[in-house]
Amino acid sequence: MRDIFDAIQKSAKRIKEAIDTKDIGYSQLENSSGETQLELDIKCDMIIEEEFSKVSSIHTVASEEKEHEEVLHENGKYFIAYDPLDGSSLIDVNLSVGSIFGIYEGEFGTQKMVAACYVVYGPRVEMVFAQNKTKLYLLQAGDFEFVKEIRLNEKGKLMAPGGTQQNWEKYHKAMIDGFFAEGYRLRYSGGMVPDLHQILLKGGGLFSYPATSDKPEGKLRRLFEVFPFAFVFKTSGGEAIDGKDEILTLGHAHIHDTSPCFFGSKYEIDRVKEVYARNA
Ligand SMILES: O=P(O)(O)OC[C@H]1O[C@](O)(COP(=O)(O)O)[C@@H](O)[C@@H]1O
Ligand SMILES: [Mg+2]
Ligand SMILES: [Mg+2]
């Protein structure tokens, strides 16, 4: 695992450099979710693949930017699914973006998940690595330095409600309104990495991306976005559900499958469970 940790750090430094220097034009290509890829999406995907190719313990990789999984080392034991540049449509407005990694042993699947990691490229570059504990690292003068362990409180103060409100179910809207009426504050940039990072570092709250009338299976991708953050939240003392079931019990039929998702501390997730059990 140490070599994977190192490879992610090397990729993160190269991606930061690419964000700072590469132009941000769109390519002529679409990814498997039907989104036009930025040249930067493709570049970041290449960087990660290059770094992972040097790590013999990695058997197979799957990327949000590639249709199929790819075998790197037949004798490796780790399977890694990653979103090379999350929130890439926010690059042109200079908001924070990230990279997300889910690490599995033997095959892809929530039961086989052993670690998760994400990197935030903001005013500073930070990395969060969850294995037995969730640890925060800060890039300083070329090296990632350990900062602290991340633990969520039982109840938070922030609300990040994703999805087009017009297409929310009535009970979902009533639930979100209820949280605001209780004093929760809106924090939503449209980048999953900074939005969830904020909730993790400020003690808790709720990030939701529900099933909507236009996206009944949600928008966020199970392998590349939802499973890794579920692992990070669980490891930090929080919870992650799809409205009913724990995310880390869910399966997937295809590597690009999506799922509704809710990440938060105990208080907020209990409320989601209660509301969804009554209505969904
Ligand atoms: O614009 P919306 O519908 O709020 O969606 C925001 C979500 O989409 C994403 O940007 C998808 O990620 P990509 O940039 O990797 O496609 C998430 O980071 C974010 O939470
Ligand atoms: Mg993404
Ligand atoms: Mg992406």
Side-chain angles (χ1 to χ4, degrees):
M1 192 64 82
R2 180 73 226 182
D3 42 4
I4 295 174
F5 187 69
D6 290 344
I8 291 176
Q9 292 191 10
K10 283 188 193 136
S11 305
K13 290 182 209 168
R14 291 180 62 191
I15 288 173
K16 168 67 179 153
E17 171 84 21
I19 291 171
D20 287 351
T21 54
K22 186 141 174 70
D23 85 63
I24 55 165
Y26 281 94
S27 70
Q28 301 300 313
L29 306 168
E30 276 193 357
N31 68 15
S32 304
S33 303
E35 299 158 341
T36 308
Q37 292 170 308
L38 286 177
E39 293 197 17
L40 204 51
D41 285 317
I42 299 168
K43 171 84 184 164
C44 295
D45 185 36
M46 235 181 60
I47 289 174
I48 294 171
E49 194 188 325
E50 250 174 51
E51 293 300 334
F52 282 173
S53 303
K54 298 178 203 158
V55 180
S56 61
S57 63
I58 302 176
H59 188 287
T60 295
V61 290
S63 163
E64 182 180 283
E65 302 304 338
K66 285 200 195 77
E67 182 71 36
H68 302 289
E69 41 194 89
E70 212 171 294
V71 175
L72 294 183
H73 305 280
E74 287 287 354
N75 295 324
K77 67 172 175 177
Y78 293 111
F79 284 58
I80 306 184
Y82 61 89
D83 179 351
L85 195 58
D86 177 69
S88 53
S89 67
L90 300 174
I91 288 267
D92 59 355
V93 290
N94 204 16
L95 287 174
S96 297
V97 294
S99 303
I100 310 171
F101 304 86
I103 304 168
Y104 305 80
E105 218 173 286
E107 62 180 325
F108 292 117
T110 45
Q111 301 308 309
K112 303 284 186 175
M113 200 158 194
V114 290
C117 176
Y118 66 86
V119 180
V120 194
Y121 311 98
R124 307 194 291 185
V125 178
E126 291 182 319
M127 182 177 73
V128 170
F129 196 89
Q131 202 174 0
N132 304 317
K133 293 175 176 173
T134 308
K135 294 182 176 174
L136 172 69
Y137 300 83
L138 173 66
L139 182 62
Q140 267 180 325
D143 285 313
F144 280 94
E145 308 279 352
F146 173 72
V147 179
K148 63 175 181 183
E149 201 183 306
I150 298 177
R151 285 301 292 174
L152 283 167
N153 299 332
E154 289 263 305
K155 181 179 186 305
K157 297 192 178 111
L158 305 182
M159 194 56 32
T164 309
Q165 295 202 22
Q166 195 185 21
N167 302 325
W168 285 354
E169 296 287 351
K170 281 207 175 62
Y171 58 84
H172 181 82
K173 174 150 178 45
M175 179 184 79
I176 299 293
D177 288 347
F179 279 118
F180 284 125
E182 252 182 68
Y184 281 79
R185 293 150 66 107
L186 176 65
R187 290 291 184 272
Y188 191 81
S189 75
M192 184 180 195
V193 170
D195 287 339
L196 283 167
H197 189 57
Q198 182 163 201
I199 288 177
L200 282 161
L201 288 182
K202 302 278 187 194
L206 180 69
F207 174 100
S208 49
Y209 209 110
T212 51
S213 52
D214 58 331
K215 292 194 173 87
E217 292 304 319
K219 173 186 179 183
L220 298 180
R221 287 147 280 226
R222 291 181 186 224
L223 252 71
F224 309 119
E225 299 171 319
V226 178
F227 292 170
F229 269 108
F231 194 93
V232 173
F233 268 69
K234 286 299 283 183
T235 309
S236 314
E239 312 247 348
I241 60 169
D242 68 353
K244 181 163 142 276
D245 297 314
E246 277 207 33
I247 299 280
L248 292 180
T249 64
L250 300 181
H252 67 281
H254 187 272
I255 59 168
H256 293 279
D257 281 352
T258 60
S259 170
C261 53
F262 301 81
F263 304 91
S265 19
K266 187 172 176 342
Y267 175 84
E268 295 85 9
I269 294 290
D270 281 351
R271 172 83 56 82
V272 176
K273 280 185 190 157
E274 190 195 301
V275 169
Y276 271 69
R278 254 189 290 122
N279 295 284

